[in-house]
Amino acid sequence: MSQLPSESAQQAVTYPSLFLLVALGALVPVVPTGAVVSSAAVVAFHQTAPLALLYIFVVASFAAFLGDIALYWLGRRGVNSKNGSRWLAALEQRVADDTLEEAQRKLREHGVTVLVLSRLVPAGRIPVMLACLLSRWPTTRFIKGALPACLAWAATYQLIGILGGSLFTEPWEGVLAAVALTVLISGGPALWRRLRGRGKGKPDGKGGPTPTAGHTAADGPTEPDGRQA
């Protein structure tokens, strides 16, 4: 009968994997890092090691911080270069113009506070980071906001994992619950905005003719020869 790996063996795999996935997800924003942290927290919650959850928090926040700093440094190289860089171009492609303008406005009004909160807002990290880059924030100023942002982010998703772990006796059930909740939190607002945008783009269904160029409903009906009645 096969046995599960010991807790020490699980930890030897979990912490390096967690670090690599979170750091990679910070550099290439396609990895669901929140779900990774929540899943690791579920596993740590069911372990007997008293400091397992603390280690998850430290590793996740440190990896996110290093990833953010590395991405910002790469972006600054593009801002300071005449030809730009593929990293800066990739960030610009991921952010709509109106979203970037909103992030720049909030950054001017609230400064570092916006950067701290950006990691807690779904899809908020990249627009605010790009706004900081285009505003030519020095790396030292960015670090002042990135550090507490990463700490708050790691704590939030770890709490989601602890919640999932406390609701189920089996770790895999808690992992599924934590991943589902994380995906809902991170993807729900974007899906809602997309659905609202489609709804606004549909005709109102009231019917009636559409005014042609140079003629509006207020001008009154038009005779066949083009003269108004």
Side-chain angles (χ1 to χ4, degrees):
M1 182 176 179
S2 60
Q3 295 181 349
L4 293 176
S6 62
E7 287 190 4
S8 59
Q10 293 179 20
Q11 292 170 5
V13 174
T14 298
Y15 299 140
S17 300
L18 175 64
F19 180 87
L20 290 175
L21 288 174
V22 172
L24 178 62
L27 282 171
V28 185
V30 293
V31 178
T33 52
V36 172
V37 175
S38 297
S39 300
V42 171
V43 176
F45 179 82
H46 286 278
Q47 292 179 348
T48 58
L51 299 179
L53 286 172
L54 177 60
Y55 292 154
I56 293 294
F57 171 74
V58 171
V59 171
S61 56
F62 184 59
F65 177 70
L66 288 183
D68 279 3
I69 298 304
L71 183 59
Y72 192 76
W73 178 77
L74 292 169
R76 275 184 59 84
R77 291 185 61 187
V79 170
N80 296 329
S81 173
K82 293 182 179 180
N83 299 324
S85 70
R86 65 185 183 92
W87 291 97
L88 181 62
L91 291 177
E92 291 175 336
Q93 290 175 358
R94 294 182 63 88
V95 181
D97 292 340
D98 55 342
T99 303
L100 177 59
E101 291 176 0
E102 180 70 11
Q104 289 175 319
R105 181 184 64 80
K106 291 182 178 179
L107 198 65
R108 289 192 300 267
E109 294 177 354
H110 305 288
V112 176
T113 304
V114 176
L115 178 57
V116 174
L117 297 176
S118 65
R119 260 196 170 271
L120 301 179
V121 177
R125 182 176 73 99
I126 297 301
V128 173
M129 180 182 291
L130 182 58
C132 293
L133 287 169
L134 297 181
S135 300
R136 296 184 179 274
W137 274 28
T139 304
T140 52
R141 187 181 184 188
F142 180 81
I143 288 176
K144 293 180 180 179
L147 180 57
C150 292
L151 292 173
W153 171 83
T156 299
Y157 282 97
Q158 186 172 14
L159 286 175
I160 293 175
I162 294 174
L163 176 62
S166 64
L167 293 177
F168 301 95
T169 56
E170 294 294 334
W172 67 268
E173 294 175 331
V175 168
L176 287 180
V179 170
L181 184 57
T182 301
V183 171
L184 180 63
I185 293 174
S186 59
L191 179 61
W192 172 248
R193 288 193 298 268
R194 181 175 298 180
L195 293 176
R196 286 189 61 188
R198 289 181 179 179
K200 291 180 180 179
K202 295 180 180 179
D204 56 12
K206 294 180 180 179
T210 302
T212 57
H215 174 68
T216 62
D219 294 330
T222 303
E223 293 291 339
D225 59 358
R227 294 180 293 103
Q228 289 185 359

